Amino acid sequence: MTATSAALSQCPVGIHSKVWVGGWTAEEAEKAIAGTKRADFDLIELDLSRPEDVDAAMTRRLLEKYELKCSGSVGLPKGADISSSDASVREHGRQVLSAALQAVHQCGGNYFGGVNYCAMEKYTQPCSAEQWRYCKSSLKALAREAADHNITWGLEVVNRYVSNILNTAQQAMEMIADVDEPNIVVHLDTLHMNIEEVSIERACRLCGSKLGYIHAGESHWGYLGVGTVDWPSLFRGLAAVDYTGPVTFESFSAAVVSETHSQALCIWRDLWTDPEDVAIKAQQFLHANLQLPFPPG
Ligand code: MN
């Protein structure tokens, strides 16, 4: 039996836009947003890695039409690494992130997460003191910019093949203490925790009230509950810290995502082909786990 708390039943349940579509034309946006509503999710996470590709006014209209909330995230490309020692690269990153923040705000969201603190790529060196410092000072300015839009900035902890800075919840807490801005939170992802953490529950407990966003991804990024992620450990951890933030399903299949995204995240296999089916089953899995010992009434 999964230990849980009444707080968990308040968590908005979300889904990443790339479960549905590879791009964000008006047609793709409506397909993703309508599908999210049909599968009874509360929110959709918009990929803002290329903010210029996202028509915020069109997106906001669709979110209002389907009565859905949104969050935003990025995976910064190499040329936009805000932890780089190259000032022009950091500046490009700042511009991308600034545009992404604008898009979140214009779409009506108040959370911005993902790999928004370095490039989403395999680094060949450990994080140096210099890289940490550049990352910290970039984040400080951007967190303040986010605060101006009433946006919470989440640092997504990812595995060693995706970043050399934040691979554990402990490192994210250290960065948060160093940046020292009140609107920065930890964004944990089960797929990455499954690789790097001693225990998913312990990682959640370590973050405590600074835990702000969860990506629910299975160990292979496919259907939830059929991999090696220790799900009871996640829900025990969330219950222990009275978590009430979003829990967002993240899953990628080569059947849907764009070639660029496939390459960035090494999505080589079709783990599923029907977004509707994987989405509905994820929603049911998350709802069941978040509300387990507290049936209505
Ligand atoms: Mn994630």
Side-chain angles (χ1 to χ4, degrees):
M1 174 75 69
T2 303
T4 189
S5 79
L8 287 191
S9 61
Q10 297 167 37
C11 294
V13 178
I15 184 166
H16 196 284
S17 62
K18 293 219 156 155
V19 174
W20 301 107
V21 291
W24 204 250
T25 61
E27 194 182 25
E28 287 170 316
E30 182 136 24
K31 181 182 177 189
I33 290 170
T36 296
K37 187 67 182 183
R38 259 197 323 277
D40 206 19
F41 285 89
D42 307 304
L43 122 148
I44 184 166
E45 180 176 322
L46 309 169
D47 176 23
L48 299 167
S49 301
R50 291 177 51 84
E52 67 274 23
D53 292 351
V54 174
D55 179 339
M58 171 273 285
T59 305
R60 188 178 184 125
R61 274 197 303 277
L62 287 169
L63 290 166
E64 285 170 357
K65 176 177 167 187
Y66 290 94
E67 298 177 312
L68 280 176
K69 295 193 175 104
C70 74
S71 60
S73 66
V74 294
L76 282 178
K78 196 170 187 171
D81 183 353
I82 60 167
S83 73
S84 169
S85 58
D86 183 331
S88 63
V89 172
R90 290 199 305 278
E91 174 54 22
H92 179 54
R94 196 199 59 73
Q95 287 169 8
V96 170
L97 291 166
S98 197
L101 283 174
Q102 291 279 354
V104 174
H105 180 64
Q106 288 164 1
C107 290
N110 60 13
Y111 177 83
F112 178 64
V115 185
N116 52 19
Y117 52 88
C118 68
M120 190 173 72
E121 62 155 8
K122 185 172 179 294
Y123 286 75
T124 55
Q125 309 274 333
C127 177
S128 65
E130 182 192 43
Q131 189 191 352
W132 182 277
R133 263 198 318 276
Y134 282 128
C135 183
K136 178 184 89 172
S137 54
S138 298
L139 283 174
K140 188 155 187 93
L142 285 157
R144 288 179 174 176
E145 196 174 319
D148 292 340
H149 295 303
N150 212 14
I151 293 172
T152 299
W153 186 287
L155 299 173
E156 182 172 3
V157 178
V158 290
N159 75 69
R160 65 190 70 186
Y161 305 109
V162 189
S163 160
N164 65 348
I165 305 185
L166 304 181
N167 301 143
T168 64
Q170 174 74 43
Q171 290 168 326
M173 289 298 282
E174 286 165 15
M175 181 59 84
I176 286 173
D178 244 16
V179 176
D180 193 25
E181 290 295 329
N183 61 327
I184 306 194
V185 296
V186 187
H187 172 158
L188 292 179
D189 180 316
T190 49
L191 173 138
H192 299 290
M193 286 193 276
N194 188 51
I195 296 172
E196 302 290 356
E197 300 285 359
V198 172
S199 142
I200 291 178
E201 179 182 352
R202 198 188 296 182
C204 295
R205 285 177 178 272
L206 185 85
C207 299
S209 63
K210 285 288 177 190
L211 185 57
Y213 201 88
I214 295 291
H215 270 166
E218 191 47 273
S219 51
H220 40 57
W221 258 329
Y223 280 86
L224 296 186
V226 294
T228 63
V229 165
D230 183 354
W231 293 102
S233 184
L234 172 72
F235 296 108
R236 278 197 309 272
L238 297 182
V241 301
D242 287 327
Y243 183 75
T244 55
V247 179
T248 294
F249 174 50
E250 192 171 47
S251 174
F252 304 113
S253 173
V256 168
V257 294
S258 68
E259 201 179 320
T260 317
H261 195 76
S262 279
Q263 286 165 357
L265 288 172
C266 307
I267 312 299
W268 312 132
R269 290 178 285 146
D270 287 350
L271 285 157
W272 42 262
T273 51
D274 180 0
E276 195 96 25
D277 189 58
V278 77
I280 288 168
K281 292 196 167 108
Q283 193 273 355
Q284 289 167 346
F285 178 87
L286 293 173
H287 265 241
N289 278 287
L290 289 166
Q291 299 177 349
L292 201 71
F294 292 93

